[in-house]
Amino acid sequence: GAGVSQSPRYKVAKRGQDVALRCDPISGHVSLFWYQQALGQGPEFLTYFQNEAQLDKSGLPSDRFFAERPEGSVSTLKIQRTQQEDSAVYLCASSRTGTSGNTIYFGEGSWLTVV
Amino acid sequence: GENVEQHPSTLSVQEGDSAVIKCTYSDSASNYFPWYKQELGKGPQLIIDIRSNVGEKKDQRIAVTLNKTAKHFSLHITETQPEDSAVYFCAASTVRDDKIIFGKGTRLHILP
């Protein structure tokens, strides 16, 4: 497809379970972003890649969160030992280049519920 | 780091009237200010953006203004329609990279 694709769209995890969320950015886009959006809140920045390089991971809330983009295209956000406060929508986004002012396109999000 | 404040958090306007949403930012290096619309169950969608070298931009019923001195920017929607009901987010990014920092959002209700 032409847009940012995320899977799974919905995930229910038991507390303590590990989860992996996948993002397929728009083809050829250099930059890829992960955001976390709690219910009724704005998206909060988690981490950012240019190609395969993770340039900023300052928003990752703990060392249970890990993101990778090994070949500079598809990215995976992994959450280990999930906790209830991890319940949120995880949004992936991409932009064409790594310079400021480029349009950032978002996927539909992966809705994670930890029970 | 950048901090973006947005208000109001909720706004109800009569169909056909105008709606205004205001944001402030903290980082003087910010130079790009997009606005996103988010409908229930969907990802944010860009509706308009403005760069720091202009003070105003308009696209049909939507306009954005920027005051760099005061570090604030606003979204104006005229002749509101039912399909304008959604959550709107302002955001900002700096010259250093292209990550954007969001405000907390405004839930806009268009009343019949």
Side-chain angles (χ1 to χ4, degrees):
Chain A
V4 178
S5 178
Q6 294 188 244
S7 61
R9 286 294 322 276
Y10 305 95
K11 175 70 178 178
V12 178
K14 291 185 177 179
R15 191 168 50 185
Q17 188 178 358
D18 296 349
V19 300
L21 308 176
R22 177 189 168 104
C23 174
D24 280 270
I26 295 172
S27 179
H29 275 199
V30 168
S31 292
L32 184 146
F33 308 84
W34 284 100
Y35 286 81
Q36 180 191 58
Q37 187 174 25
L39 193 64
Q41 300 295 314
E44 297 276 349
F45 171 78
L46 293 178
T47 187
Y48 155 53
F49 293 85
Q50 271 193 27
N51 298 306
E52 68 277 6
Q54 190 174 19
L55 298 188
D56 186 340
K57 54 182 180 179
S58 61
L60 296 176
S62 77
D63 58 7
R64 297 186 296 104
F65 287 72
F66 172 77
E68 59 183 4
R69 194 186 185 198
E71 297 178 358
S73 55
V74 171
S75 177
T76 303
L77 176 67
K78 297 179 180 178
I79 310 173
Q80 296 178 320
R81 305 181 303 281
T82 52
Q83 301 177 5
Q84 284 192 313
E85 61 262 31
D86 300 335
S87 296
V89 178
Y90 291 86
L91 294 165
C92 179
S94 69
S95 70
R96 190 172 56 86
T97 74
T99 54
S100 176
N102 277 280
T103 300
I104 296 178
Y105 299 89
F106 282 83
E108 302 278 75
S110 290
W111 294 60
L112 173 64
T113 302
V114 181
V115 297
Chain B
E2 176 68 279
N3 183 50
V4 178
E5 301 283 343
Q6 181 173 351
H7 58 95
S9 57
T10 306
L11 178 61
S12 296
V13 300
Q14 213 69 38
E15 182 179 347
D17 288 351
S18 296
V20 180
I21 301 170
K22 298 183 178 182
C23 291
T24 60
Y25 62 97
S26 62
D27 192 334
S28 57
S30 291
N31 67 339
Y32 175 62
F33 306 91
W35 286 86
Y36 284 83
K37 176 183 181 182
Q38 188 174 32
E39 296 176 330
L40 193 61
K42 299 197 171 184
Q45 183 175 19
L46 180 74
I47 55 171
I48 194 168
D49 57 14
I50 190 167
R51 288 168 176 76
S52 59
N53 57 345
V54 298
E56 184 172 356
K57 183 177 178 180
K58 189 173 181 180
D59 182 4
Q60 299 183 342
R61 297 186 296 110
I62 295 174
V64 58
T65 59
L66 171 65
N67 183 327
K68 287 174 56 181
T69 303
K71 294 184 189 169
H72 64 69
F73 56 114
S74 301
L75 177 72
H76 304 252
I77 306 174
T78 59
E79 301 170 18
T80 52
Q81 300 170 4
E83 55 265 34
D84 295 331
S85 292
V87 180
Y88 292 80
F89 294 98
C90 62
S93 78
T94 72
V95 296
R96 292 183 288 271
D97 55 42
D98 60 353
K99 81 180 188 191
I100 57 174
I101 302 301
F102 285 86
K104 293 194 181 300
T106 296
R107 182 170 297 277
L108 176 63
H109 300 275
I110 306 302
L111 306 173

